[in-house]
Amino acid sequence: RVMKPPTPHPSMQDRRSVDRPPQPEQVLREELIDLSHPSPLFNALRAALVAEDLPVEDLQQPGRSFYAYFANRDTLAGFGGFEAHGEHALVRSIVVLPGHRGRGLVWQIVPRVLARASEAGATHAWLLTEGAKAVFSRLGFSEAERGDVPAEIGSTSQFSKLCGIDATLMHRPLEPHYA
């Protein structure tokens, strides 16, 4: 007779998904999205952000870089981006598309976004989150006080206008060409 392991209490299942990354689905390709004019990828990014109630008003302003991430035979799986502000980068809108959630892609997308920010010269990454504090903590971010944010980040439209005061500010240092 084969014994099945006991099923954990539902609250423990939720806790495990935050504490330990699941077995990852492989991100096969990353593609920079041209934000200067509408394209199929730009439209997909915008639709994904709107579906998640994330800011889209300032997507086409200078200094933004967004990437599309593809998995399993070139299937669009998610998006991530940042705003470059000298030695500071503001991480923008990490989105894993619904059909790919729970497969560990966030654990691959965020480090890739941080690597691109580091390549652009950033030594510090900042973000605002309303619901993913635990995930970003596992990715090396720490909660920061709004009064400690550098002027370059504090003056962004996301920080000053688009994200509510309830959003948690988080920070992490970046090593040169973070990988």
Side-chain angles (χ1 to χ4, degrees):
R1 183 172 174 211
V2 176
M3 297 286 292
K4 285 178 142 181
T7 303
H9 187 273
S11 65
M12 289 305 293
Q13 289 175 341
D14 294 342
R15 181 169 168 71
R16 277 197 327 237
S17 69
V18 171
D19 290 345
R20 219 181 23 203
Q23 290 298 321
E25 177 177 21
Q26 189 65 37
V27 171
L28 301 175
R29 186 167 63 90
E30 169 185 78
E31 185 175 327
L32 180 64
I33 300 171
D34 182 355
L35 300 174
S36 66
H37 64 280
S39 68
L41 275 182
F42 176 84
N43 294 338
L45 167 65
R46 187 175 179 77
L49 296 176
V50 167
E52 296 301 319
D53 199 27
L54 294 168
V56 295
E57 294 83 357
D58 63 340
L59 280 180
Q60 294 179 293
Q61 289 183 2
R64 279 113 178 106
S65 298
F66 279 89
Y67 298 85
Y69 294 93
F70 297 85
N72 297 339
R73 291 175 279 159
D74 240 15
T75 303
L76 182 60
F79 300 96
F82 68 93
E83 290 181 33
H85 297 280
E87 66 183 33
H88 299 280
L90 180 62
V91 176
R92 293 286 304 258
S93 307
I94 306 297
V95 176
V96 176
L97 297 177
H100 297 273
R101 292 182 183 155
R103 299 179 187 175
L105 290 177
V106 73
W107 307 102
Q108 297 173 61
I109 291 173
V110 172
R112 287 178 180 220
V113 169
L114 296 178
R116 297 296 164 256
S118 178
E119 289 168 4
T123 57
H124 298 274
W126 299 85
L127 63 84
L128 290 156
T129 183
E130 292 183 1
K133 182 176 154 184
V135 171
F136 287 114
S137 291
R138 293 267 302 136
L139 288 160
F141 284 85
S142 299
E143 197 167 340
E145 295 294 324
R146 286 181 174 256
D148 295 336
V149 72
E152 300 93 334
I153 300 300
S155 65
T156 65
S157 58
Q158 183 173 15
F159 187 88
S160 62
K161 298 176 197 159
L162 301 177
C163 286
I165 193 72
D166 293 336
T168 301
L169 176 66
M170 301 186 83
H171 168 262
R172 72 162 285 164
L174 296 178
E175 296 178 22
H177 299 281
Y178 172 87

